């Protein structure tokens, strides 16, 4: 199975082989475009699709070389067909369709979210549909925060989603306010290490609901920073010049360079507010839907503190916990190849006339 993933700003190609002795990932290539979009403060769709067009052929070549596979040996071609940016999705889907048509092979259109959702099972032994044990899946990425009850392959029920920002988006925006780099999640995690997560009490929204909301938390941080002497999004300046030149906060001036502990404590407190919400809702959902396995996936699930606390909360409640290796959590094509392989084995196949859908739903 050869798969392409181009739903956003990462171009990725993977080749996954399955035979009687099991599954083997022969190649997984990812080209990131972070630096191309960084200066615009967000993803520029046209730049993303132009770069996919440049990177896709290069990655296909690299993957085929790494896998030592001839094109004719590939049995099926897959691509992410949504959700994502239309102009980005089109590139991967068109390339996969072209290859399928050219080599007379099958084509599979895969939902990006299904790729994430199945990723914790990647590498599990090949034994039919029992690969995918019933679980409550928390999908947490830059674009999505959702809770899904998974009863088996293709049997997904969406039970909660974010009504505003995604968890990863909150990490990215707060990191920006603090003058940290992009993507913000890893930056905040790094600075949170050793910080006091109880020092600042940021809000935990909608705890009683299965849905999520992170925009209130983001706003709370925005209003909190000036109170301690930081101008949000200009905080970077505070590293270069003492802030009392520029700002007078209620608690005086702040210089992160001199008060690294403060930055650590803000990051740890913010991170903990997000983790509390994610863990509380996921465990509550597992209990409510009587599922004894919790899985997490998507970029934010790289966060080691989230993994640790979700694992601990699961075990306190007699629930099993599973997450993918971190390289499989951020966008990649191996998860798309895996989903495609499971679907192909279960008898699914797509038509090359199937269109991409930027708003494709999981369930
Ligand atoms: O799954 P992903 O690569 O792309 C989307 O489909 O959105 O997720 C990217 C998101 C970004 O918002 C990034 O800040 C976040 O995942 N992220 C993290 C960590 N690593 C990546 N958030 C928290 N802690 C991390 N270690
Ligand atoms: Zn993703």
């Amino acid at each position: 199975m050869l798969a392409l993933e181009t739903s956003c700003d990462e171009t990725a190609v993977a080749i996954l082989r399955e035979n009687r002795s099991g599954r083997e990932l022969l190649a997984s290539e990812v080209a990131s475009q972070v630096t191309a979009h960084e200066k615009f403060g967000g993803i520029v769709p046209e730049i993303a699709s132009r770069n996919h067009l440049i990177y896709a052929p290069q990655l296909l070549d690299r993957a085929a070389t790494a896998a030592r596979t001839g094109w004719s040996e590939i049995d099926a071609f897959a691509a992410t067909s949504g959700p994502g940016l239309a102009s980005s999705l089109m590139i991967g889907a068109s390339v996969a369709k072209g290859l399928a048509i050219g080599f007379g092979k099958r084509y599979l259109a895969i939902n990006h979210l299904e790729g994430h959702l199945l990723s914790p099972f990647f590498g599990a032994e090949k034994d039919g549909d029992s690969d995918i044990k019933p679980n409550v899946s928390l999908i947490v990425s830059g674009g999505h925060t959702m809770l899904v009850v998974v009863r088996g392959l293709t049997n997904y029920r969406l039970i909660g989603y974010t009504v505003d920002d995604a968890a990863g988006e909150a990490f990215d925006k707060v990191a920006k306010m603090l003058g940290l780099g992009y993507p913000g999640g890893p930056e905040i995690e790094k600075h949170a290490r050793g910080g006091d997560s109880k020092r600042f009490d940021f809000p935990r929204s909608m705890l009683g609901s299965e849905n999520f909301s992170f925009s209130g938390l983001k706003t709370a941080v925005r209003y909190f920073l000036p109170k301690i002497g930081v101008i949000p999004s200009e905080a970077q300046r505070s590293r270069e010049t003492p802030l009392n030149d520029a700002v007078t906060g209620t608690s005086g001036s702040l210089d992160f360079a001199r008060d690294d502990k403060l930055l650590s404590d803000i990051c740890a407190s913010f991170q903990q507010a997000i983790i509390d919400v994610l863990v509380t809702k996921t465990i509550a959902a597992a209990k409510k839907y009587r599922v004894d396995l919790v899985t997490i996936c998507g970029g934010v699930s790289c966060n080691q503190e989230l993994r640790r606390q979700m694992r601990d909360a699961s075990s306190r409640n007699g629930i099993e916990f599973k997450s993918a290796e971190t390289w499989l959590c951020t966008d990649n094509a191996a998860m798309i190849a895996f989903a495609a392989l499971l679907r192909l084995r279960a008898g699914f196949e797509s038509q090359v006339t199937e269109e991409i859908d930027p708003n494709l739903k999981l369930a």
Side-chain angles (χ1 to χ4, degrees):
M1 175 67 68
L2 184 147
L4 286 114
E5 152 63 41
T6 62
S7 64
C8 192
D9 63 337
E10 242 109 36
T11 320
V13 174
I15 302 177
L16 185 61
R17 177 165 66 196
E18 185 178 84
N19 54 27
R20 277 188 202 88
S21 52
R23 249 179 244 128
E24 194 184 352
L25 182 65
L26 300 180
S28 178
E29 304 284 337
V30 183
S32 167
Q33 302 182 16
V34 167
T35 47
H37 301 275
E38 217 167 23
K39 53 183 171 292
F40 300 101
I43 292 156
V44 183
E46 185 172 335
I47 294 179
S49 51
R50 283 173 184 269
N51 279 328
H52 287 314
L53 214 42
I54 294 167
Y55 293 145
Q58 297 175 9
L59 296 191
L60 281 169
D61 255 358
R62 281 207 336 229
T65 307
R68 299 209 188 96
T69 312
W71 292 106
S72 56
E73 289 176 64
I74 311 258
D75 292 318
F77 295 90
T80 304
S81 62
L85 295 169
S87 51
S88 285
L89 290 165
M90 258 182 241
I91 308 293
S94 302
V95 170
K97 287 176 185 184
L99 288 166
I101 294 169
F103 290 104
K105 300 293 171 70
R106 285 167 293 190
Y107 168 68
L108 284 101
I110 299 296
N111 187 313
H112 181 79
L113 298 170
E114 184 179 38
H116 276 305
L117 180 117
L118 299 177
S119 64
F121 297 93
F122 188 93
E125 277 310 301
K126 176 192 163 197
D127 57 357
D129 261 357
S130 59
D131 268 348
I132 310 303
K133 278 179 64 183
N135 66 96
V136 162
S137 170
L138 172 70
I139 307 178
V140 262
S141 70
H144 303 275
T145 301
M146 41 177 81
L147 273 173
V148 182
V149 176
V150 178
R151 298 281 177 198
L153 185 69
T154 75
N155 187 343
Y156 313 130
R157 177 170 166 202
L158 177 67
I159 56 165
Y161 55 89
T162 179
V163 298
D164 42 53
D165 293 352
E169 206 177 342
F171 269 104
D172 295 336
K173 287 177 176 168
V174 166
K176 197 171 172 192
M177 288 178 209
L178 293 168
L180 303 175
Y182 179 87
E187 289 290 317
I188 292 201
E189 176 173 24
K190 187 173 79 194
H191 288 280
R193 269 183 219 124
D196 177 1
S197 61
K198 295 198 173 71
R199 179 162 168 199
F200 303 111
D201 188 19
F202 294 124
R204 277 83 170 143
S205 303
M206 293 176 73
L207 275 184
S209 156
E210 278 169 354
N211 287 336
F212 300 86
S213 164
F214 292 108
S215 103
L217 170 60
K218 174 192 69 188
T219 309
V221 177
R222 180 167 287 131
Y223 283 116
F224 160 80
L225 291 179
K227 288 188 192 155
I228 58 160
V230 182
I231 300 179
S233 84
E234 285 188 324
Q236 187 64 40
R237 274 205 297 156
S238 71
R239 291 150 182 271
E240 290 145 21
T241 51
L243 255 186
N244 40 355
D245 288 346
V247 192
T248 314
T250 51
S251 56
S253 65
L254 170 78
D255 182 351
F256 281 154
R258 271 184 268 139
D259 190 354
D260 198 38
K261 177 87 175 80
L262 180 62
L263 178 60
S264 280
D265 292 350
I266 295 171
C267 288
S269 301
F270 164 76
Q271 178 176 275
Q272 191 56 46
I274 295 214
I275 292 176
D276 279 349
V277 171
L278 297 178
V279 171
T280 305
K281 285 171 190 274
T282 307
I283 300 296
K287 287 186 183 163
K288 177 170 170 187
Y289 294 93
R290 298 175 190 280
V291 173
D292 59 10
L293 171 64
V294 153
T295 62
I296 56 174
C297 59
V300 179
S301 74
C302 290
N303 191 289
Q304 294 301 322
E305 197 51 30
L306 170 62
R307 287 167 173 253
R308 191 184 66 74
Q309 294 190 33
M310 192 71 86
R311 182 178 295 112
D312 289 355
S314 300
S315 91
R316 277 198 305 278
N317 287 279
I319 297 166
E320 199 191 331
F321 169 75
K322 214 174 171 57
S323 59
E325 287 179 46
T326 51
W327 69 269
L328 260 172
C329 293
T330 49
D331 288 349
N332 65 86
M335 67 182 192
I336 303 301
F338 180 57
L341 204 61
L342 296 189
R343 279 188 165 259
L344 188 62
R345 182 150 40 84
F348 291 91
E349 173 176 354
S350 312
Q351 299 302 313
V352 286
T353 47
E354 191 169 313
E355 290 186 43
I356 53 122
D357 181 355
N359 301 310
L360 190 62
K361 300 282 179 281
L362 183 64

